[in-house]
Amino acid sequence: MRIVALAGGIGGARFLRGLLAAVGPQDEITVIGNTGDDIHLYGLKVCPDLDTVMYTLGGGIHEEQGWGRTDETWSIKAEMKEYGVGPEWFGLGDRDFATHLVRSQMLTAGYTLSQVTEALCVRWKPGVRLLPMSDDRVETHVRITDEQGSRAIHFQEYWVRLHAAVDAEAIIPVGADTAKPAPGVLEAIAAADVILFPPSNPVVSIGTILAVPGIREAVAAAPAPVVGLSPIIGGAPVRGMADKVLAAVGVEATAEAVALNYGAALIDGWLVDTADEGSVAAVEAGGIACRAVPLLMTDVEATAEMARAALALAEQVRK
Ligand code: GDP
Ligand code: CA
């Protein structure tokens, strides 16, 4: 079976680990990763979501943190601080730096982000084909109003420095309107047997991928069933501040509202947590098949069970 999954960082990566445990060796998984979180620091290109997927599936992730490398050290960051060079709020450890150096060196030499990602994956062997959503530069910005007035800041500044404590007024995927899907992305979607939306952030992860012209249209037109899993349980994100960016796009932070915002034109099936069993009928009334199953990714086996439930629902809605 050919499975295509759109993925952000932690939520996407953890789900993919369960999916890999649930499928067989004959199944092929293509992951279309969000690059809207990418940031240029110290002349280096940092791709947080691609790296989280790569490190998580390749066994190099810092488990508790959910991002960055295991057994990390911070000498470079300390040295930068001595020079008074920030940003201090963004954590790039020494081992992680190597990834960004290799990536940036290859990009400077003329390779595309897809080619670089493939090269990095030679080391990490994530067990999936990892494609960036686009080789073109896309950067999510967030409009806020603070003591400096109304302005747009980089998503990482909003998320990591401000912890989304200020209201987001708009989410702007800068560059998305002219970006092209990376090679292989549209082909993988068209050839998929199943398309999955892991419980990734619906706005700044999945939403950004869908904002690349052609990708939303390809998913909607794909013959494969499309099934998503809710990142919202009991009216709140399981982890992080997804409610803040959902509010910016006028969507309530509920499993039901997120499903209906994707809409029946895009997704055929939706999984909510058992805590949200009460919203199944409303999702189904919106034309989306819905089931309530445990959706907490407490360990790989629990996550594999979620993946099995998503694949089972895909079979039920297959046209
Ligand atoms: P990010 O790029 O690192 O923010 O990661 P993603 O966009 O891939 O995923 C973030 C989303 O994962 C958040 O909105 C969380 O609510 C969701 N999430 C994290 N852990 C769990 C879990 O155990 N179960 C579910 N259903 N969602 C989760
Ligand atoms: Ca992210």
Side-chain angles (χ1 to χ4, degrees):
M1 190 162 52
R2 283 161 300 189
I3 303 170
V4 168
L6 276 46
I10 302 176
R14 289 195 173 155
F15 174 75
L16 289 166
R17 194 157 57 179
L19 178 64
L20 274 164
V23 301
Q26 73 289 352
D27 296 311
E28 279 170 35
I29 302 172
T30 300
V31 176
I32 301 170
N34 172 42
T35 57
D37 290 16
D38 293 5
I39 184 166
H40 291 76
L41 291 172
Y42 322 111
L44 303 178
K45 184 172 176 75
V46 180
C47 301
D49 284 0
L50 292 180
D51 289 350
T52 293
V53 170
M54 195 170 74
Y55 294 159
T56 301
L57 301 185
I61 197 78
H62 186 301
E63 280 296 334
E64 295 70 42
Q65 214 166 244
W67 55 269
R69 295 280 280 110
T70 184
D71 299 325
E72 189 56 283
T73 55
W74 300 89
S75 299
I76 300 177
K77 189 168 181 172
E79 288 294 313
M80 298 301 285
K81 190 175 176 188
E82 292 300 326
Y83 284 113
V85 174
E88 264 185 58
W89 47 266
F90 202 79
L92 287 186
D94 302 332
R95 307 184 89 187
D96 200 15
F97 255 107
T99 303
H100 313 311
L101 285 168
V102 173
R103 172 184 293 123
S104 305
Q105 173 169 275
M106 286 188 71
L107 289 170
T108 305
Y111 291 96
T112 63
L113 184 60
S114 308
Q115 292 169 325
V116 175
T117 304
E118 193 180 342
L120 294 171
C121 285
V122 169
R123 172 182 176 193
W124 291 104
K125 300 180 179 52
V128 301
R129 182 166 166 242
L130 177 60
L131 304 177
M133 65 188 198
S134 177
D135 283 338
D136 301 321
R137 182 168 169 169
V138 177
E139 252 178 41
T140 303
H141 287 207
V142 180
R143 203 178 70 227
I144 61 161
T145 301
D146 60 7
E147 57 286 351
Q148 293 177 50
S150 179
R151 63 208 175 93
I153 58 176
H154 192 286
F155 171 73
Q156 297 296 353
E157 189 176 356
Y158 181 71
W159 207 247
V160 181
R161 185 173 78 84
L162 300 178
H163 299 289
V166 186
D167 285 345
E169 295 160 359
I171 310 295
I172 312 131
V174 178
D177 51 342
T178 56
K180 288 177 297 300
V185 165
L186 298 183
E187 293 80 354
I189 293 169
D193 297 307
V194 175
I195 299 173
L196 298 177
F197 290 5
S200 283
N201 189 306
V203 183
V204 292
S205 293
I206 307 274
T208 307
I209 300 170
L210 294 171
V212 175
I215 297 188
R216 175 184 289 273
E217 296 75 6
V219 172
V226 182
V227 172
L229 298 93
S230 180
I232 306 292
I233 298 182
V238 177
R239 183 188 166 118
M241 300 79 71
D243 48 322
K244 300 296 291 233
V245 288
L246 280 166
V249 297
V251 177
E252 227 188 309
T254 64
E256 165 189 337
V258 169
L260 298 175
N261 183 56
Y262 283 134
L266 194 64
I267 60 171
D268 305 296
W270 186 246
L271 294 180
V272 300
D273 186 75
T274 43
D276 295 313
E277 195 137 27
S279 62
V280 169
V283 175
E284 296 217 313
I288 300 163
C290 186
R291 306 284 181 271
V293 297
L295 285 190
L296 281 178
M297 300 190 280
T298 41
D299 56 35
V300 175
E301 185 39 42
T303 313
E305 202 49 38
M306 287 165 54
R308 287 184 203 106
L311 294 172
L313 182 54
E315 290 316 315
Q316 289 169 24
V317 298
R318 192 181 292 283
K319 288 147 244 169

